[in-house]
Structure formats: C-alpha cells, structure tokens
Amino acid sequence: MTDMVSPPIPPQRSRGWYKRNEIAVTPWLFLLPGILFFAVYVIIPIFQSFWISFHEWDGLGEKVWVGTGNYERLLGGDRKFEVSFWNNIKWLFLYLLAIPAGLFIALLLNQTVRGIRLYKSMFFFPFVLSQVVVGLVFSWFYLPREGLLNAILGVVGAGPVNILGDPTLATYGIIAAGLWPQTAYCMILYLTGLNAVDPEQIEAARLDGAKGWKMLWYVVLPQLRPATFIAFVVTIIGALRSFDLISVMTNGGPFGSTRVLSFYMFEESLSEFGFRMGYGAAIAVVLFFIMLFFIAYFLYSMYRDEKGAR
Amino acid sequence: MFPTPIEKTSRTWQLTYQALLPVALAIWLLPLIAVATFSIKPDADFTNGNYWGLPSSFEFFTNYGKVFFESDMPRYMLNSVLITVPTVIGAVALSCMTGFALGVYKFNGNLWIFFMFIAGNFVPFQILMVPVRDLSVDLGLYDTKLGLVLFHVAFQTGFCTLFMRNFIRALPYALIEAARVEGISEWRIFFFVVMPLMKPALAALAVLIFTFIWNDYFWAVVLTQGPDAQPVTAGITSFNSQYRAAYHLMSAGSIVAALPPVAMFFLMQKHFIAGLTLGAVK
Amino acid sequence: DGHAKLSGDLRIISDMSNPAPRAVMEGLAADFGALHPDLNIELDIVDREAWKTQIRNALTANAPDVINWYAANRMGPYVNAGLFEDISDMYANGDLPGLEAVKGAMTLDGKQWGVPYTYYQWGIYYREDIFNELGLEEPETFEQELANCQKIVDSGRKCYAIGTKFLWTAGGWFDYLNMRTNGFDFHMQLARGEVEWTDDRVRETFANWRKIIDMGGYIDDHQSYSWQEALKFMTDGEATAYLIGNFAVAPMRDAGLGDDQIDFYQFPMINDHPMGEDAPTDTFHIPANATNKDNARAFLQYVTSAEVQTAINSGDALGQLPVNANSSVDADEFLEQGFEMLSNNATGGVAQFFDRDFPAEMASVGMEGLQEFMVFPDNLDDILARLEDARQRIYK
Amino acid sequence: MSGLTISNVIKRYGEVQVMHGVDLDIEDGEFCVFVGPSGCGKSTLLRMIAGLEETTEGSIHIGARDVTRMDPSERGVAMVFQTYALYPHMTVKENMGFGLKMNGHPRAEIDKKVAEATRILKLEEYLSRKPAALSGGQRQRVSIGRAIVRGPEVFLFDEPLSNLDAELRVEMRVEIARLHKEIGATMIYVTHDQVEAMTLADKIVVLRAGRIEQVGAPLELYRDPDNKFVAGFIGSPAMNFLGGSVKGGKVQVPALDADLEIPVTLPEDGRAVTVGLRPEHLAVDPNGSTHIVELTEALGGVSYAYLMSTTGEKIVIEERGDIRSNEGDTVGISYDPATAMVFDGETELRIR
Amino acid sequence: MSGLTISNVIKRYGEVQVMHGVDLDIEDGEFCVFVGPSGCGKSTLLRMIAGLEETTEGSIHIGARDVTRMDPSERGVAMVFQTYALYPHMTVKENMGFGLKMNGHPRAEIDKKVAEATRILKLEEYLSRKPAALSGGQRQRVSIGRAIVRGPEVFLFDEPLSNLDAELRVEMRVEIARLHKEIGATMIYVTHDQVEAMTLADKIVVLRAGRIEQVGAPLELYRDPDNKFVAGFIGSPAMNFLGGSVKGGKVQVPALDADLEIPVTLPEDGRAVTVGLRPEHLAVDPNGSTHIVELTEALGGVSYAYLMSTTGEKIVIEERGDIRSNEGDTVGISYDPATAMVFDGETELRIR
Ligand SMILES: Nc1ncnc2c1ncn2[C@@H]1O[C@H](COP(=O)(O)OP(=O)(O)OP(=O)(O)O)[C@@H](O)[C@H]1O
Ligand SMILES: Nc1ncnc2c1ncn2[C@@H]1O[C@H](COP(=O)(O)OP(=O)(O)OP(=O)(O)O)[C@@H](O)[C@H]1O
Ligand SMILES: [Mg+2]
Ligand SMILES: [Mg+2]
C-alpha cells in the first residue's frame, strides 16, 4: 500500500513561460501553419481581387486605376454580364431540383433487399466522376444527330433536337448534366439522413394514421431537415461554381448563351481573347457578393447551433 | 422505415421492386454505359453511323492501348497522382492541427477563425483566380505541380478544418481532461490521445479530398499548362483535341481518367460515404 | 550545315497538336536533336485551342525557349508587353536567307519578332466526285456559287460543311464574303475599327451571306461541332464543300478521300474588287524571358532553312506552303493551286485571318456575333448594334 | 371502451421464436403492467398489440373486434413511447392534434379534444411550445396527451418513465395513476421499475423468455408467488434464497443453522428445496452467532445489513431505523418461520 | 496523503458568479460526498479542486501545498469521470499506464503499479482488452484503476456511477467503499443519489446555489439537519413540512389539528414556524378524522399513504407492511411529537 501512495508529484519548480501558458499558446501554434496557408492563398487574394477590380489591367503591364469604372460598365448594360447573371439564376433554381430528385431516389433505395448496398453505390457513382468527364459524356449524349438522346427520341418519334446548339436549350442541357452527379450527392445525404430518422416517431405516426404522402410530408421530411439543409448548401454552392461543365460542353456558346458569371469571369481574365483582369475581378466580386448571401446564411445557422455548445 | 419496408408488402410488389431496380439503375447510368461501349468500339463503327449498336468488333485493347502507349495520358495520370497525393497528405495534416486547435481549446476568436475557414471554403474560387495565378507566377510556381499542390492544400484546408473540427468536437471532452489531469502535455494529447481517435475521420477525409483534387479542372487550367504539370482532367481535354471526333479513343481516355477516383470510391466506399456525411459539404 | 554543335537545353512549347502537325513537330525536334547530340531538347505539345489562353502564362513564368504563335496583329499584345524577343538582327545579318518576302508579316514597330514556319491558303475544298455527279463546275462568281449550291441542296445535300463551336471558322466566311463584297481594303479598315459595323456595306456582306443561309447551304447544328467534327459531313458526302484552310486536306485524306474526290477553288468573285485572300501564317518566337536564346535562334534558323521548309510543308507532312522563297512547293495539287492562287490571284492583298487581324476583344465579340448570325440571321440588327457598341469601346 | 384478449400469440423473427404462445385477458378499464427481465418480450408483446409488429400466430381481440391483422391506426389503441417520440417540428398543440388531423377530423373537434387533454394534463401554458423547449416530464406529458386526444380504447405505455430522473419519475407515476382513475381506459404498461409496477397495476403480468410466469394483483404476487422466479423478481431488495432439504416435516436450512417448521405441505424427506425469506421479514439478532456482518448501510429511515452465514451464503436484512450492530460483528438472525416460502429445488415451483 | 483545505473559494464565469465563497476542510483519508440539487456547483467545485477550472478567488490547499494556481497534473489528484473517459484505442493496461508512461516513468515501475491496481480492482482478465469490449461496470473500474496507478493524494469522482444501471450501481458502490477502505486515500465524490451519499460518505457536504448548507456525517444530517433545505434534501421520501405557529410554548399545526409539544427552545408566541415530520415517523390512525387518504401504494415490504389534510396540506406516510386504510378513507395520523423538527418560518433555520 505504501508505495501505491508515494506520490509522483513533481517538486515545485519554477516553470518556463511556455509551460505556464501552455493551454493559451498551444492552439495558436497548432493554428499557425493552417492560417498562414489559408491567408496567403485564400484570404489575401480575396482582397486583392477587390483591389484589382478597381483597375484596368491586362495582367502584364501596369494597373491603371479606373475607380468604379469596371462596375459601371458591368452593371450598366453589359449584355454578356446580363446573360451570365440570368443563367446563374437559372442554375440556382434548377440545380435545386437535385434535392427532390435525390430524395426520391433515396426513398426508392431505402430498403433492405439483397444487393441494395451495391445499388446504392452505383446510383451514387456519377458523383465520383470528374465534371470534365460528366461534361464529355453528356455532350456526346446530346450530340445533335448521333447522340443517344436523339436516338431515344427517334424511337418515340420525337426530335431530333440539338440541345447544346440551341441557345434557348443549351443552358438547360448543361444544368441537366450537372444535376446528374448532384442528384447522386443529395441522394447519399438523404440516405444517411433516413438512417437517422427516429423509428419511434414513424411508429407514433403510424398509430396516428399517417400514411404515404402524409407520412412523408408531415413526419419524415421534417426529420430530414439537417440533410435538406446540407443538400441545399452544397447545391447552391455547386450551382454558383459551375464552370467545368460549361467549359467542357459548350465553352460558353452557342454565341455566349450558356455563360455564367464564373465562366464569364474566366473568359474575361484568362481566355484566348481575354486578359482584362480588372473587369474579370469585378465580375468575381459580384459573384462573391451573391455567394456571400448564402455563406452568411450558412454561418448564421452554424452560429445558432454553436451557441450553447461547449 | 419509409416507405413501408419492402418485406412488409405484398409478394408481387416485392418482385416488381427487385425487377425494377436494375432497370432504374441502367437508365440512371445510361450515359456512362454508352461511353463504356464507345470505348471498346472500332473506329469504323463511328464512320458507319453505328453509334449505339453493339460494337462490331471488340477493340478494348486497341483503344486503351492507344491511350496508354500513344498519348500523353500516362504522363497526365502520373501528374495527377503527384498532385493529389501530396495535397491529401498536406491538407489532412494541416487540418488535423487546425481542427484540434479549434475543437479543443476555448479562446477568444475561436469561432471567428473557424468561420473564416468555412467562409473561405465557400467562396467562389474564381475570385481567387487572378491573384493566386499572379502569386504563383511571382513565386515561380506557375506550371509546376508544387504550385498546384500548395494552392490545393491551402484551399482544402478550409473544408478539412470544418470537417476535423466538428469531428474532434464530437469526441468526449473528458478524454482530454483526463489526460490533462494525468499531466500529459498538450502536444502529446494531440498525438497520443486525439490523433488515434481520428483515424476514421482521417480515412474518410483522405478519400474525399482525393476525389476532389483528382477531379479538379479549374485550377489545373489556371495554374498549369502542358503535360509537365497538368493533371489528367486537363490532360483529357488536350487528349481529346488530339483525337477530336475519334469518339472511341476519347471515351477510352475519359474512362481512364475517371478510373482512379472510381476505384477509390469502390475500395473505400465506407470511408467515402462517412466522409460525405461527416463533413457533408464541399 | 557548318554550324557549331550546340549543347545545353532547349525547351519548346508547340501548339501543333493535331496528329499530322504533331508528327511534324516531333520530327523537327528529333532531327534538330540529331544534328546536335549534346543538346537536350524538351518538347511539349499542347492543345492548340488551349495554347491560345496559356501562352501568356508561358511567356511570363518559367518561359520556354521557343514557342508557336501567329503573325500580324495577333503578336501585338506580347510585343507591346515586351515578352517576345526582338530578332531583327537575324533578318539583318542574313541568318535567315529566303525569308525576305514574309518579313512583313513578322514586323511590328519596324522590328521583327519571330519567324514564320508555314502558311496556307484558305479556299473552298469540295467533293469533286459529287460535283461531277451533279454536273457542276468550279464557280467563279457568287451567282454561280449560289446556283451550284441550289443544285446541291436540291440533291438532298448541304453545300458547306462548317463547325462553328469554336467560332473562328465563321470568321473565315466573313473574311471572304466581306473581302469579296467590299474589297480587301475595306475589310482591313473594318479590322482597324475605322468603319462602323452598322455601315451599309457591312450589311451588304451579311445580305450576301444570308443568301446561303436561307437556301439551307450550311449543315445543321454546325454550332455544335468543331471543324474536325464537321469534316465528317464532307467525307460522308452529306456536304459537298468546306471553306477552310489547307490544313484540312490531311485529315480529309486520312478519312479516306482520294485526290480524285477532293479539289479546291478560290472563293468566287462577288463585286468587282481585287481578290483578297486569307493566308494565315504560323510562327515561332523566342520569349523575352527564355533562358537558352542562342539555342533558340539556332532552332529558328533551322526551321526556316529552305530544306526543312520544303520537308515540313510537304503534302505528307503539314501539307502547307513553305515560307522560304528557296524552298519548293510540294508536288501536291492543293499546294500548287494554293501557291499559284496566292502568288497570282491575290491581287487585293493577303489577310491573316479574322481573329488575327482584329484586336482580340473585338475578334471575340465579333465571332460570337457571326456564329449567332449563321444560326439566327434575323438577329442581324441586334448583332450589328452589339458589334458597333464593342467597336466604340475597344478602339479608343 | 373495452378489454383485450390475447389468445395463444406466437412471434417469430425469421427462425427465432421470441413469444411462445401467450394467453392473456385484460378487463375493460384495467391497468395491466408487464414486467420481466430484459429481453423477455415485454416490448414485443406490447408492440404486437399496437400493430407495430406482426403477430405470427394467434389472435388479439380488442373488445369484440379481432384486430390481429389490422393497421395500427385502426385498432383504437394509442401508444406512449419511452423516448416520447414527439414530432420535434410541431408545437405541443400540433403534436396532440396530429392524429386527428391525419384522419380528417374537423378543426373544431380537434381543438376541443386537445383542450380537454390539455386540461387533464395541465399543459395549458405550453401549447405553443415545441418539444425541444420542454422538460422531460412535460414532454412525456405531451406524449400522453397525444394518446388521450385520440380517445383510444386501450393505452399502451412502453417504459414511459425510464428516461426521467428519480424525482420526476415519482411525480409522473402519480400523474399516470390519476389519469387512469380519471379517464378509466384500459391501460397496458411495460416497466422495469418495481415501484411503478407495484403501485400502478391492477394486474401484473410477469414474463420470462416469451412466456407468462404469473398474472396477478401486485400484492398477490408479492405474497403468493407461484415460483421462485416471480418471488425473486417481485420485491426489493430481492428475496433471500437459501438452500435446504426436507427432513421429518421440517426444512433443514444450514445457512440459518435451523430446522424450520413452515406451514406448507412439504414433499418427501430428503427432497432439496429452496427457502425464500424477504429482507424485510428478517432482523439482526445481536445475541446469535450464525452470521458475520459484512456491511451495514444506514439510510436514515431504513438500514441494510449484509450478512454472510458460516456456510458462505449471503443474506440481506432490511430494518427500520438503525441496525444495532457493526461491520465485522458476529450475529444471528431473527425471523418468523411463517413468513418463509418454500420452492421445489428442481422445478422451482412454490410449495404451498 | 493529506487532507484538503478550501478557503473562501469563489468562481465566476464572466459576470455570473456560481460559487459564493466556499470554505471546507476535508481530513486526510476522509470520504467526502458533495450533494445538492442540479446546478448547485458540485461539479464546478470538484473541477476547481482538480485544476480543470480556474479558481477565481480564494485558495485550495492539498496537504500543506497551495495548489490554487497549479496545473492539474501537479496537484496530486486523480479524477474519475462520469463517462469513464477511457482512451478507446488503448488496452486496459495501456489506459492505466498511460499517464506514467507519458511522464517518463520507467517501464518496470509502470508495470508494477498497474499490476497492483489490477489486483485491487480484480481486472486481471481484462488487461489486454480495449474499453469497447468491457461492460459499463468494468469500464468504470478501469477508470478507477487509472486513478489508482497514479497514486494521488486525493481521488475525485464526478457522479461515477450514474451511467450504470441500477444493479451494477449497487455493486460498484460497494466496490468503491471497499477501495476506500483498502487504500485509505482522501476521496471526494459527487453524486445525485441519496443512497450512495448516505452509504459511502464519512462526511456529506450539502451544496445549494454555490454555497455550503451543511457539512456532516450522513446520519448527523438525517437526524440533525441545520435547516429546512438540508432536512428536505436528505431522506427519501422527503420530510413532510407543515406550516405552524408558536403559541404558549407549543406549536400549533393546523394540518394536524394539534398543538405539538416539541422539546426545543421555541421563539416568541405568534412566530410562524415550519414543522418537519419524516414519513417513516408517521403512521395512519384509522380512528382519526383529520385527513383523507388520497392514494396508497403497497410495495410489499413497505407502503406509502398520501394524505390530504382538511387544511389542504399533503402528507406522505411510510409504513412497513400494509397500510390499513383505503383510498378515500378519512383517517388521522399518529406520531411522536419528539420526532418533529421545527424550522423558523422565515430564515428556515432549524430551531433546536
Ligand atoms: N427484430 C428482431 N429480430 C430478432 N429478434 C428480435 C427482434 N426484436 C426483438 N428481438 C428479440 O426478441 C426478444 C424480446 O425483445 P423485447 O424488446 O420485447 O424485450 P423486452 O422485454 O422489451 O426487453 P427490454 O426490457 O430490454 O426492453 C429479445 O430476445 C430480442 O432479442
Ligand atoms: N462554462 C460555464 N459558463 C457559465 N456558467 C456555467 C458554466 N459551467 C457551469 N456553469 C454554471 O455553474 C453552475 C454550477 O454548475 P455545475 O456543473 O457545477 O452543477 P452541478 O452541481 O454539477 O450540477 P449537476 O448535478 O447537474 O451536474 C450551474 O448553474 C451552471 O449553469
Ligand atoms: Mg423493451
Ligand atoms: Mg455535475
């Protein structure tokens, strides 16, 4: 017993500064590299973009201060900007279709039959593909004459349509391609959400006589709120970031009808006939403010969750 | 669960369901199946307009052989590996540290720094494009794999921090207090107590970041050019311009480019899905 | 030749990414390397479309020693930014014999900034066999052209294959229609921003263009194809002709068309102006930031030498025209016809091409408008107003 | 309202049989409590009554209606879950009215019934709150309210109080007793808690491994258990069981160093039996010397002594006030042999 | 080993003060239990002793050392957490030896200490298992083992048993008592559970809203509480409190319809007082007529009667065996006035 209690207590020694402040200092040491990287590559560039957006600059020579000139031109009737902006709006709204579609597939697959895991993975598959590949795949799918879509339409007796060649349809065609992986993403979110649905609530609802749609609407969906929230956030962000697909599928065409802000920005800044960095930066800033709206919403709801936590 | 569990429904409906699944899957993956078929067709099928029929001959080896031996694809693939793997390691390592700091310690500004990471992660990355490109050029990192890696590490740190921090926060705080009472220094707590517990999160995050980075196209275009440094997503477009209108080769090339993340997905499925749901954001 | 053996490095980035040019470029590098065994040549061939956006980065950061680009206005931004090496000395001290005639295309501000390595004629390539079948002749006037086209359309075919997905092919049509309708000089005035797009003369060009569009002369859905993808229509016989550069001959042959099936004629006369022609010149330059400029100069000299020019422009290589006056044009029916045309029938002048003659931003807005016009000719007023808007902004 | 008849009910999950033919009658208005060790099938039986689990064989009648194959919502039952299972996105009022709304009842009627239940459960203040803003006891009250509103013939409770802390549990227990008195419906209640079972039940059903061991009123089970299992299960601290054997009309109990004369019909001599003595029927005898006091615990009103007999058997004694002995003392045990129960050593059945 | 002295300790979280000057002496080797309602500051006080929370003002000494500003690890304390806080990726053995290993103790020493703790806690079989493969009780034992290995001067327990089920709780409680006896270290133990507090403690500290209400041995608090709060908090069911007033040396208690003669020094006439009577000191008097039986509960060994006085005050009575009255009966209460306690109506302090 005696040796059990001989305490391994260190003698009172004068401790170093680090030791005394260990708990206060450690987090900053751990944060340092991450913050450094992030600041250099993300935070500072955001402000640089703001700065650049007040200049005219071809990326090579001197920047020329033009004040709000770029914005005036941008918002003062730049048709490309208008087209891009409205296309972005289309993206925002139509991309959200991924949420109900994902939910639908998730409900369909939320069963326990043999091999269902494999089915779930296969349905999820498109999400893993690079957008470049998705874009290629769909542009072949849409080929005006040989595309599978027209082959199918032909069987039904409709078509042919040239989706990507028709300025009124092209954007929708690209969005549809984007919906493919995005739906898969939402599906997986909902599948995990469904796992977390409280079975007792479902049982309570069964006793309450809720069935089918009513069950879905009144009991299941409200419980899937967290999944819906995340799906909403990632879909919005995906919609606003859409670049790869447009670049691969139409390159903004036909005659600019599928541009969105992010693509237009790239085009103005870095493309073949571009190198108007200031103007591009101004577009990016506008896009940033649109996104900021959603970021703020996301952060706000996170903040609400964080309050009260440890 | 919902809707009615299939085993509680009528036998006919069960059978219908089972029969319907493969059909639904085939429709869902139709574009992909089409490309896979393309990739084993001979050139002649396209000139003869046999786009959607069965391949008139099986040209798997010819087509894929061309991709592997007569193009830059292998070089691009290697680039992708050399970009993706260090990025994954770097981003995960950095975010373990930031996640630990933000998840464990209470200090002024904790939440604000955390929010900074999240907000940065959601920023439309186009706004970073011009400055980051200039920065890379200035540092001599333009058109190098290192340049891409550094940027990706930095940018992904936002997402990874969100992920790690939330994971660490969900660990029982008593574990850390117990260690403190035992006189274990903070960095040892990180290495010996927290890190071992983060293994599942590390795996999930690594898989996730791997696919994100592998599939990146935008930054590949902005920060690199040419087969020296460009990853396969960019490589595929130049491969395609080389074989413009040769659908069989383009399909084979696309499939090759898509293969690693797909393989990753199937091998690490559990982690992958865990990652998506743990982090639940991109 | 009696040059000293070179050593060290030579980094080349080339945009000769189509299969035939690619082979030529690789051969060039290999042959040059064989001449200089101690020289370590590093060759990157990048996608030609992508290169147009990448060149700027390549020139600023980690610049290679030799790059591809285009002549004329298209060099302007880089020359102005000081990114191209001034190689006037090479022209001056006779390092580049035989290039005197093409020196002009490489000259800006009185200095020379690179060397050409090939140029090619544009014109109408057509299916000889189908023309024969329908009893058609190579047209010399626009009326004949339209009449031919009508017959072709009546036979269930399209007159012209074209792929405007990447826009610039539409620029070729406009160049020709405008040069024929209003003359070479007018076209250049337009390029320099001296004429309003809403000018009646411009409208007349479009009116002529519209005739072809309205009669269904172009293949459907051309906005969805690249020029290569559209070739298929010609090889299939769905379309009978293609207004394109001579570089298209190689792929046509690759696709199985024999020389008895394809032929070439000059874009026919519309109004009585001296005929202007598009003959884009492709070039090599040394970036101002290059590290091995001596090796690069040697390479430029090598590429432009008479023998090499003969070799790389031959029908089984690039299939284009050599830039060196001492080279011989390959005994290829298209090259001979093209050389003949450019030498004797291009009295109006030789233009580079729409996207090389117009300032970049104007070219981009313009070609988009041209593509739109080809699909929706009714939008003409709107398009022209837009182009005029852009013109007023761009040419300050 | 009406009673419930369960006839020869069997439940199988695939190959595994978990209910082995249960027969049970519950009277109209009766409060019936299911108890038994974990995994014995209490919840399963309750859920079969609710219709949430299918009944593999046998039948269940509510009143005169055979409900065996009916939908849960058609059976006229309402269930209160351990985790409350309130819909988190609805207010208290909406939670309570949800069932009626789903079945298309008119608004006025719903409001009236909700108001009635609210009154019974004193929830007036909380009507417009969401469950997250309620305490555990209030939530459970709402979930009971939800059941009341539907006016079921039978109320089902599955361990409704086990998520509450000790104090609230007592309070809610009294609440449920009051509720049963007030609305008089048939109630079936699953619990782990002795006190709940004893105080609430009109009738306790003791289950073990998918079979009913005994059915009876609480004190009946306490005083007159049919077998050793029930005797050990009912009563807290549990009954002390001591090995013994019959000899000459008495029971020899080595642990007590005594031959007990117990007024029951004993079997033949030599037969092994188990003697059961409740802790509360024993007292420490400071003058004896058969046991050693291992530990005493004084809770103020009541005290426990943990004794070890010289034969190595442990015995718990419960006394009011303090125990007049210290740990380590050698003591005896005083008891009234008439309070002892005798169980067959093999069948474990009570010998009466 | 050494005792603990807490002097005028104050804790503030920002503006909110949660400990209002606590003074407490704990003897060397004493088992001290903190009880009190939820949120009263038990955990906070314990964590301040451990060094996991900073002490805003005041000082804490362990033995002669002022540890107020020391690091947790330097204080010579070990803590056992409610959630065990075992490192899930280490085996039992590694868990126990981890602290020593990290602090650079030699392997042999670690092994010896772990072996010793293992023996004390009978964990030999589980040494190479990971926590996930242990039951709740075993886990808690390992977490105690981890504390033992460090050989601390003071053990701190924060509700160590509250995650266990009732049976295991009893078992582990006995285990902890044994442990305390065996190693004799000072232990401080936070609990919600009456039984744990009463049976384990040498000394109970009753806290309320960041202040100490009373310190004393368990039965001392039960028998001789200093104020109404302690009297009501200790003992289960809780003491009955009845309003009364002093009149002529007696206490008039309307609820009992009686003037009690209680052997205490009463204040001046007319002063409002509260009379406290423990349920176990009362009995139902079937002949009286002052109360109505609202509810009776028979648990077999013990029964409760819930009465309502004619004045509307509720009284709980605990009796052994059965209560000889039915719900709805009119009865009286029999009691010994000497068992009654008197509290000042205003200050709630005990009048002795
Ligand atoms: N879905 C199922 N598949 C197979 N066996 C099951 C299933 N559900 C329950 N069981 C088994 O049925 C038996 C009865 O379970 P039940 O939940 O009714 O027990 P219980 O008495 O309610 O236990 P507890 O007191 O722990 O709640 C258990 O042995 C359990 O393992
Ligand atoms: N970080 C904090 N910030 C503000 N107040 C706090 C904090 N931690 C605890 N408190 C407050 O301090 C008081 C004491 O809390 P403590 O956890 O010590 O109570 P407790 O007695 O352990 O309660 P329980 O029995 O519920 O565990 C509570 O009122 C609590 O709200
Ligand atoms: Mg159960
Ligand atoms: Mg606490």
Side-chain angles (χ1 to χ4, degrees), chain E residues 4-19:
Chain E
L4 194 109
T5 312
I6 296 173
S7 315
N8 195 29
V9 155
I10 287 174
K11 174 74 190 173
R12 278 191 215 93
Y13 289 109
E15 297 293 286
V16 196
Q17 184 161 357
V18 298
M19 302 301 302

Side-chain angles (χ1 to χ4, degrees), chain C residues 134-152:
Chain C
L134 298 177
L136 303 177
E137 296 285 326
E138 288 186 4
E140 291 189 353
T141 65
F142 198 51
E143 285 74 37
Q144 290 168 6
E145 177 83 28
L146 293 179
N148 277 354
C149 187
Q150 191 57 55
K151 287 193 188 135
I152 295 166

